[in-house]
Amino acid sequence: MTLRKRLATKSLTPRKSPRQTRAEGTVAAIVEAAAHILERRGFEGFNTNAVAEKAGVSIGSLYQYFPNKDALLSALIAREAAPLLAVEKELAGIAGSRAAFQRYVIAGIQYQMRRPQLARLIDTAEKADTFSDQVMGTVTRLRAVVEKILDLKDAPIVLDKAVAAADVVAITRSLIDAAGERDKTDVDRLRRRVEGAIWGYLTSG
Amino acid sequence: MTLRKRLATKSLTPRKSPRQTRAEGTVAAIVEAAAHILERRGFEGFNTNAVAEKAGVSIGSLYQYFPNKDALLSALIAREAAPLLAVEKELAGIAGSRAAFQRYVIAGIQYQMRRPQLARLIDTAEKADTFSDQVMGTVTRLRAVVEKILDLKDAPIVLDKAVAAADVVAITRSLIDAAGERDKTDVDRLRRRVEGAIWGYLTSG
Amino acid sequence: MTLRKRLATKSLTPRKSPRQTRAEGTVAAIVEAAAHILERRGFEGFNTNAVAEKAGVSIGSLYQYFPNKDALLSALIAREAAPLLAVEKELAGIAGSRAAFQRYVIAGIQYQMRRPQLARLIDTAEKADTFSDQVMGTVTRLRAVVEKILDLKDAPIVLDKAVAAADVVAITRSLIDAAGERDKTDVDRLRRRVEGAIWGYLTSG
Amino acid sequence: MTLRKRLATKSLTPRKSPRQTRAEGTVAAIVEAAAHILERRGFEGFNTNAVAEKAGVSIGSLYQYFPNKDALLSALIAREAAPLLAVEKELAGIAGSRAAFQRYVIAGIQYQMRRPQLARLIDTAEKADTFSDQVMGTVTRLRAVVEKILDLKDAPIVLDKAVAAADVVAITRSLIDAAGERDKTDVDRLRRRVEGAIWGYLTSG
DNA sequence: TATGAATGAGTCTTCATTCAT
DNA sequence: GATGAATGAAGACTCATTCAT
């Protein structure tokens, strides 16, 4: 995407909502193909033609559902962020901040461990541009979750909840990523390390 | 970079060392232009023509000194990583691990604060690929520094120093990055937050 | 083609087979344009942009069907070699080696006379490289034809049929080329000269 | 060389005649470097910078002696053609056409066997363009030699000596080339094959 | 609606040649 | 004279996107 193009502010919303089941399947196939290509070939190999081919759809069809490449990536990000909704809901029922953070960390680990490459690339993509504003991505979602935890009565007191939430999310991601790079899968130890860093951060102020 | 290209293992070392003073200036101008373009336009806008133009040299000159685009990026990474050498040396004279970590965190903050965008993008680039093997980048360097600190007598005891070092670096970067995204510049408070996270992490095992 | 590139062994097979009739026309137009450009401008002027323009298609279309420049040249060679298949079949029905050689020489003359420049350039290209292995070109085909003739009962006896066949093809081509350079078209006289050389060669051992 | 450039009719004569011995050495080194590069890398890798480097001279110096790339190639062709002068002289003393042809064939074999790759490439280059007119190359020279042989009293009578000479040269080259491609070095057998083809050709009219 | 053929701006890279030092 | 830094036109190739069928 060139600078000029980026400034033109393209719509990132799907071009048409699929009402028929067949179309839904097509859209899902395209998004999964996008995930697949991104995982295997990285951003370099992530192009719409490859995605269409992998999805078993014509390039024309792809553009029938997504107005442009960014919209496709956007949809993928949204799809990946979706499971985190579950955590949001679940956390509503947890009273203690310690337990809540534990649940949050576990969710984060599970999320990132399932498709590590993909998680990391989406992370990068989210940082890279535009999306943050228009799409409610993983990071935004996680920050909201953490902010809620910090609202709990027994949570550590911090100066700025937004900052703290952002930092906690950043720490969590970076440690899980680092573990992912090492192909480590000792989830329990990882969880304790992450929690240690979070509490250290929250109680150091 | 396509897959095929990546497999071809391009050289990342400069094509020719400048012998005349004029040439040295050219090389420096090109690298600085690369930094500038990367900062302002991101990876999307980072193309060799733009760099050459910004540097005020012809595209041919760029390719006299850098065999390909990656080599240019590589040189930029190396240039940015250089200042961190200073810390490595300085740290040799510090005995206490607490003080050492403090110095390390400060160095990291200073490094990333100077050109936050650039630092973050280089971070991404380093993660992205190939370089890690061929270029001794910032991250590798910083990990070595932290490992040395962990070797100090009064340092917290950790199970695996390599893992701990990688994690400490990851935490540090992510927190400083997060601060950078927010355009925060309260260095002192940031420093304390980072140190808190580090110590929390190191003493939680 | 640089050394590095050559080692990378590019595919010379068409990228995608045209499924629609329109596409078939495009492919044919591109190959014919390639022939045309090669004839008129030689290898120096043979570039993909010129070919695309001459074919009246966009450069993108050219690359939809041919993965690279060599593949295009390869396709052209194959196209030119095709008519020689006819001779192969026809020769099956001829018993005497003398008559067979006569037919072979006539075919060669006709082939090369139709588009002399093109024939000569393709000849050069085939010699030049890579193709020989991957593409069954004119020369290979002709050698096979001659070997078959040498298998006939009344054919002159030679020490090494492969060598003799290669030599006969070489002589034929060189004489017809030489005539082509002079723009001579006295086919009959040329034919007799070629046959004389061939028989002289074959019976001199 | 683009079409436009070719039409501009560049001078192919060396830019300045070296009077000092050092300069002569330089010129010789450049031409030999050109031969070397052409042999190892073919036309694709034959570029002035490579030649200069191989010659151990700066690119500037190369252009001091040769006004352009073609002039360099031209000089190389001339150099390679030179040894054939010896044959021309020697042939003056031979009376019988049979012996003369034998001597001619031997010379041709020796010439082409010494540096087969180079000989073949120069052959191609000579055919390719422009040079033929301005430079007295190998082929032209050989044709003159053969024409002289055909002038001998006992030589076979041919309709058109120029044509016959061209054809004899063509046959000779093609057979030796073919042998060269096969890496055959049985010079004597090759010589007999070539002579057979020549006599067959000359006596078939 | 689906298809896939076609487009062409944009990017990397090379290399013959010039010219200031 | 020699050097090598600098130039930039030219060429191979990609890929997001459009549109006729």
Side-chain angles (χ1 to χ4, degrees), chain C residues 98 155-158 196-205, chain D residues 192 196-197 200:
Chain C
R98 188 115 212 170
I157 291 155
V158 294
I198 291 176
W199 284 102
Y201 169 86
L202 289 174
T203 57
S204 67
Chain D
R192 258 179 289 143

Side-chain angles (χ1 to χ4, degrees), chain B residues 181-200:
Chain B
E181 277 171 34
R182 291 187 302 261
D183 290 323
K184 281 281 172 195
T185 35
D186 186 341
V187 176
D188 208 56
R189 216 193 289 285
L190 172 59
R191 200 206 72 218
R192 258 178 290 143
R193 289 208 305 273
V194 176
E195 287 179 29
I198 291 176
W199 284 103

Side-chain angles (χ1 to χ4, degrees), chain A:
Chain A
M1 193 169 47
T2 62
L3 227 201
R4 191 150 43 103
K5 278 188 190 167
R6 206 180 310 163
L7 292 174
T9 311
K10 302 187 201 169
S11 82
L12 298 183
T13 47
R15 188 167 264 172
K16 65 182 166 193
S17 317
R19 297 193 187 162
Q20 303 157 10
T21 330
R22 184 158 61 117
E24 272 176 43
T26 304
V27 166
I30 294 170
V31 174
E32 174 51 29
H36 192 267
I37 297 284
L38 198 53
E39 261 176 335
R40 317 280 176 174
R41 310 191 200 167
F43 282 107
E44 289 291 341
F46 181 66
N47 62 275
T48 53
N49 289 289
V51 170
E53 192 187 9
K54 177 74 197 169
V57 206
S58 71
I59 183 67
S61 288
L62 190 153
Y63 275 88
Q64 210 118 52
Y65 293 107
F66 302 96
N68 54 54
K69 197 186 177 186
D70 278 3
L72 173 57
L73 189 50
S74 220
L76 175 56
I77 293 177
R79 188 194 81 167
E80 292 301 302
L84 294 167
L85 275 171
V87 193
E88 289 178 29
K89 284 172 190 164
E90 197 188 330
L91 277 170
I94 300 180
S97 63
R98 188 117 214 170
F101 268 122
Q102 192 164 321
R103 180 70 196 84
Y104 154 77
V105 171
I106 289 171
I109 292 176
Q110 282 172 341
Y111 163 68
Q112 244 163 316
M113 282 302 186
R114 205 166 40 97
R115 300 180 82 163
Q117 274 298 325
L118 187 58
R120 222 166 310 144
L121 288 164
I122 282 182
D123 209 4
T124 310
E126 281 187 290
K127 272 185 195 165
D129 42 5
T130 344
F131 306 114
S132 21
D133 313 334
Q134 303 179 50
V135 179
M136 176 78 160
T138 324
V139 169
T140 321
R141 202 139 240 160
L142 287 172
R143 284 179 183 167
V145 168
V146 173
E147 275 203 66
K148 270 187 192 160
I149 300 180
L150 290 173
D151 282 336
L152 294 177
K153 268 168 290 176
D154 69 333
I157 291 156
V158 293
L159 284 172
D160 185 328
K161 277 179 190 166
V163 168
D167 282 353
V168 165
V169 170
I171 291 171
T172 311
R173 309 215 109 199
S174 70
L175 286 179
I176 304 178
D177 267 358
E181 277 171 31
R182 291 187 302 261
D183 288 323
K184 279 283 175 197
T185 35
D186 187 339
V187 175
D188 207 56
R189 218 194 286 286
L190 172 59
R191 202 207 71 219
R192 256 178 292 143
R193 289 209 305 272
V194 176
E195 287 178 29
I198 291 177
W199 284 104
Y201 169 85
L202 289 174
T203 56
S204 67

Side-chain angles (χ1 to χ4, degrees), chain C residues 82-99:
Chain C
L84 294 168
L85 274 171
V87 194
E88 289 179 28
K89 285 172 190 163
E90 197 187 330
L91 244 55
I94 301 179
S97 64
R98 188 115 212 170

Side-chain angles (χ1 to χ4, degrees), chain D residues 160-175:
Chain D
D160 186 330
K161 278 180 189 166
V163 169
D167 282 352
V168 165
V169 170
I171 291 171
T172 312
R173 309 216 108 198
S174 69
L175 287 179

